[in-house]
Amino acid sequence: MSVNITSIKIASNGVWQGDNPLHFAFPLLILQSVLILLLSRLLALLLKPLRQPKVIAEIVGGILLGPSALGRNKAYLHRIFPQWSTPILESVASIGLLFFLFLVGLELDLSSIRRSGRRAFGIALAGISVPFLSGIGVAFILRKTVDGVDKVGYGQFIVFMGVALSITAFPVLARILAELKLLTTQVGETAMAAAAFNDIAAWILLALAVALAGNGEGGAQKSPLVSVWVLLSGGGYVVFVMVVIRPGMKWVVRRCSYEHDALGDAYICLTLVGVLVSGFVTDLIGIHSIFGGFVFGLAIPKGGRFAERLIERIEDFVSGLLLPLYFASSGLKTDVAKIKGGRAWGLLALVISTACAGKILATFVAAMAFLIPAREALALGLLMNTKGLVELIVLNIGKEKKVLNDEIFAILVLMALFTTFITTPTVMAVYKPARGGSTPQTHRKLHDLSGEDELRILACLHSSGNVPSLMGLTEATRSTKNSSLKLFVMHLVELTERSSSIMMVQRARRNGFPFFARFRKAGEWRDQMAAAFQAYSQLGRVKVRPTTAVSSLATMHEDICHVANEKRVTMIILPFHRNWRVFDGDGKEEEENVGHGWRVVNQRVLKNAPCSVAVLVDRGFGANTVHTPGPGLMVGVAQRICIVFFGGPDDREALELGGLMAEHPAVKVTVVRFRPSPSNGFEGSNVILRPMHSKSGDNRYSFSTAPINPEKEKELDDVALTEFRSKWDATVEYTEKEASNTNMIVEGVVSIGKEGGYDLVVVGKGRVPSSMVVKLADRPAEHAELGPVGDILASSGRGIVSSVLVIQQHGGGGHAEEAPVMKIAESSKNEQPLATDGASTNV
C-alpha cells in the first residue's frame, strides 16, 4: 500500500475520538522504540554469560523483529513496522549514529596512534590490504553468481566488498579487550593501536566507496570527475577542520579546564551544533553525514574536563537509546530468507571463510614478522577479525546507495555477526595471559616481615576522595628505621557500556594517574596531591607505582588479587563503600555511598586475597594533615591512632601494624586491650557457635570454620602483647578495659570512636573470635564483612568521629574458610556444652 508522505500526521487525537495511534508517526515511533529496546536488552542479558558485545544483541533483535522472523507475519509487519514509518525511524536513528561517530572520533587519540610505532602500523597494513584484495576476489564471484549485482558499477562494488571484509570495529574491539582483561596487556595495546590505524584507513576507503557509488545502479554512467571532486572536497574539509576548527576547540578546552572553572552550557551546545553542521557539510559534499561527526570528534583534544563533560552529556542517550534503533533498523532490512538454496549458503560460507582467513592469517604473519610469539600473534589475528558496529554502518551505506542488493546485504550482515560472535570464545581458548600463579607467596602477612624486608602495600582508590586518607595512612604506616616501603596505587574503574571506561584506560597508559584527570573544581589541590605522590617516589625509602584496573564489578576482585600476588604484596588497603565527612560547625555527618556493587568487591577480596587485607572506613582521616617532603621522612601534624585489641590472629595483625606506626615520630599510638571481667563469671563463660545452613552472610557475622584452640590463641595473644610492650613501652600508651557483659563491650568500643581523641581506630576483623568478640555473634550485622567490632565502629548514627581501619590477617594457617554462624548457648566452663548435631566451634 503506497502512502502519501504529506498525509502522515504526527500525533493522534486519542482512541476516544476514534483514532488508532499506530496510524500516526510519533506514537508508532514510541512503540517501535520500546519493542526494539526491550528485545535488545533481553538478548544482551541472555548473551552476557557468553561475554558477547551489546551490538550482537541489537543486530539479532532487529533481525528477529524484521522479515526474517516475526516479520513473516504480514499483519504484524504492516501494523508495527509499516513501510511509511521506515524513513522516520531511520532519521531518528541516524541522529544517534551521527553523534555516536562523534564519540568514536573523540575516543580515537591521534597522538597515541603516532606513538604506536612501526609494529602496530605494519600489522594494521597487513590486516587491511590482504582482506581488501580477498574482498576483490569474492566480488568477482558474487558478480558472476548473484542476480542483479552486475547492474552495479564495477568499481564501487569491489571497493565496498573490500572495505566490508577488511574493516575492524575499533569500539567493539575495545569492549571485548576490556571484558577479557587484555586491554592493558601488550596484546591489547598492540590490537588497539592497529585497530585505530585500521579505523582511519577504513573511513578513508569508505569515503572513496561513497564517492564512487553515486546512486549505485547509475554509478557506471556517472562522470569520473564527479568522484574526484567529491574526494578532493572531502579531503579539503578534513584539512579545514584540523587547521581551523581544531585550534578553536583547543581554546575552548583551555577555557573549560579545571583551573579556569568556566565550563558553561554554551560551549557544550555550540560543540553539539558543530557536530550537526559538520554532518551537513559532508553530506553536501557527497560523502555520508557520519563522516562529519567522526572528523569533528577527531578535532577535539583528548583528555580533560571538556571531553569528559561532552561524553557525560550525550553518551547514555546516544548509546542507550538512539544507537540500538540504528542497528535494529539494519536488522529490519535483513531478510535471511533471501539466502535460499545451496548456492546462496555456499556463498555465505565463502564470504565468512575468506573474511576470517584473510584477516587472521595476514595479521598472524605480520605479527610473527615483528617477533611476536605465535600464541599472541594468533590472538591478535582473532581480535583484529572483530566486525560488528562499523561493519553495519558500511553495509547500510552500501544498501542505501543501492550497491548491495538484499541477498548480498543479508550475507554480509550474517558474516559480521559470525565473525564478532566467535572473537571472544576463540581468543579465550587460544590466549590466556599468565596470572602469576607460580609467583612465590612470601611475606603475605605483616607478622612475617623481618627488619630488612621491604613492606609492599597495594592501595586501591575509587576516586579522588580516597587520596587524602590513603596519603595519611601510608605516611603513618611507613617505618622510618628498618624496612622500606613500596606502594602500589591502583585506581579501580568500573567497566560499563560507556565509552568513558575505555578512555580512562587510554589515559592511564599515558600518565599512570587517570584519577587526577577526573578531579572537579580542585585544580590547585589536585596539583598538591600529584606533587605529594611524586615526593613519595623521590624519597629513597618509598617507591610509588601507579596502576589501573578496568573491569566489571563482578570480576574486579580478580584484578586486585592478581596484582597483589604478582607484586608479592603484604597488605591490600580497600576503601569502604561508605564514607562520612563530619563538619565542625554543626557536627552533622555527610555520607558518601559508592554503591552496593563496590561492597561486594570488598567482600570478594577479603575472601580470596593472597595476603592481609585492611578496609578503611574514612571519616576525614588525613584531610587535615599537611605533609612536607624532607630528606628522610615526611613530617606532618601528629596523628593519634588507637589499636583496639580483643585477641585472635586479626587483632595480632593489627598489633603488628601498630608496631610499624609506633616507629614514626609523628604518630602517637595507644593500645586498648579489652579483658573479660571475672566478677560475674563472664571470663569463665563458654559459647558454642554453629554454622548456619544459609550461606547468605549479609546480616550475620562470618567466623572461621577451622577448629579453634582457645588456650593456644590466648597464649599467642599474651606473647604478642608482651613482645609489643617490651619493644614500644616507652612510646606507646597501653590501657586495659574490663567488660562484664555484651552491652559493656559495645559501649566501651563506641566510647573510643566517639570521644574524638583518635584520628584512626585500628581493629581486627575477628574471624577467629576471642571469648569476648564471640558474645557479639548474634547481634544483627549492618556490615558483616567488617566483623563485630569493626561493624560497631562503622555504623552510622552512633556519633563516632574517628576513621576506622579493619584488618584481616591472611588465612594461610587454616582459617581461610568462613561461614555465617549463630550463637547456640552460653554456659560455665564447668558445665557440659550443649550437644549439637552439626559442626560447631567451642570458644
Side-chain angles (χ1 to χ4, degrees), residues 132 154-164 205-206 208-209 212:
F132 189 89
Y154 183 74
Q156 51 263 46
F157 182 70
I158 63 170
V159 172
F160 262 102
M161 286 300 302
V163 173
L205 290 172
L206 184 56
L208 173 64
L212 291 173

Side-chain angles (χ1 to χ4, degrees), residues 196-214:
F197 278 121
N198 195 305
D199 227 25
I200 297 294
W203 291 118
I204 294 172
L205 290 172
L206 184 56
L208 173 64
V210 172
L212 291 173

